[in-house]
Amino acid sequence: QKEVEQDPGPLSVPEGAIVSLNCTYSNSAFQYFMWYRQYSRKGPELLMYTYSSGNKEDGRFTAQVDKSSKYISLFIRDSQPSDSATYLCAMTKTGGFKTIFGAGTRLFVKA
Amino acid sequence: GAGVSQSPRYKVAKRGQDVALRCDPISGHVSLFWYQQALGQGPEFLTYFQNEAQLDKSGLPSDRFFAERPEGSVSTLKIQRTQQEDSAVYLCASSLPRRDEQYFGPGTRLTVT
């Protein structure tokens, strides 16, 4: 079993929909949680970063962390075709250097 | 400003050849990471440098993989005697001491034939 599980999709939604992306993890030592967006043939770019539990909002993006359930989510409001990409969750442990990524969820937003 | 750059962008190697992949991090970023990304998968950690010190190399898959950062800026990932299973995109990322905000380069796509 992988330390971080993420449904690879693909997930296809109409423009303007609310998108929900999720990851589960098994190691309770993870404390830092990130979401990256990766366009085809590009490197990942950081979207959201959260420490420990709670919510964080940035424009159309909201990240949630539920440490009791070992479950993290990214919500995208008013989705746009330009949001079509692969979304990667990632996490690290306190004092550690190794970042563990999920497999990524491919998202398609149809105009 | 300039981001993380990697060269070459594409590399085709015959099985058994040695390859060297270069990463130029963002100026002033002391932390540097290498990742391997297979098709349809997330990046997998290979190694981490803080300045010139390699603090974690636990992700390197075999002793054929070697990374260095001799002056604390540019880094090279070397793969000796390449095998077909080494075919992947190799990503480099750099960050300030807050390791959570990593900035990725575009990657080098390695194909071993």
Side-chain angles (χ1 to χ4, degrees), chain A residues 17-74:
Chain A
I18 296 175
V19 176
S20 173
L21 304 166
N22 312 291
C23 287
T24 59
Y25 62 95
S26 56
N27 193 328
S28 57
F30 288 127
Q31 293 283 351
Y32 298 89
F33 303 92
M34 288 76 73
W35 285 95
Y36 285 83
R37 177 174 63 194
Q38 186 173 27
Y39 291 112
S40 182
R41 299 188 181 271
K42 302 284 188 184
E45 58 176 320
L46 182 67
L47 281 177
M48 300 287 285
Y49 158 77
T50 311
Y51 172 69
S52 196
S53 283
N55 293 0
K56 186 172 184 179
E57 188 172 321
D58 184 2
R60 296 185 295 113
F61 299 91
T62 300
Q64 288 185 352
V65 175
D66 181 349
K67 291 197 70 185
S68 63
S69 301
K70 298 190 181 68
Y71 189 87
I72 68 171
S73 301
L74 177 71

Side-chain angles (χ1 to χ4, degrees), chain A residues 2 8 32 34 36 38 40-46 49 86 88 92-104, chain B residues 9-10 33 35 37 40-45 48 50 55-56 58-59 91 98-107 109:
Chain A
K2 292 185 178 181
Y32 298 89
M34 288 76 73
Y36 285 83
Q38 186 173 27
S40 182
R41 299 188 181 271
K42 302 284 188 184
E45 58 176 320
L46 182 67
Y49 158 77
T86 296
L88 299 154
T92 57
K93 305 169 191 173
T94 300
F97 307 114
K98 184 181 292 191
T99 301
I100 307 299
F101 282 81
Chain B
R9 290 293 315 276
Y10 302 91
F33 303 80
Y35 295 88
Q37 186 173 26
Q41 299 296 315
E44 296 234 1
F45 172 87
Y48 165 73
Q50 189 170 89
L55 298 185
D56 189 336
S58 62
L91 293 163
R98 278 187 66 198
R99 64 191 178 282
D100 43 280
E101 296 187 60
Q102 297 179 35
Y103 296 85
F104 281 81
R109 183 176 297 272

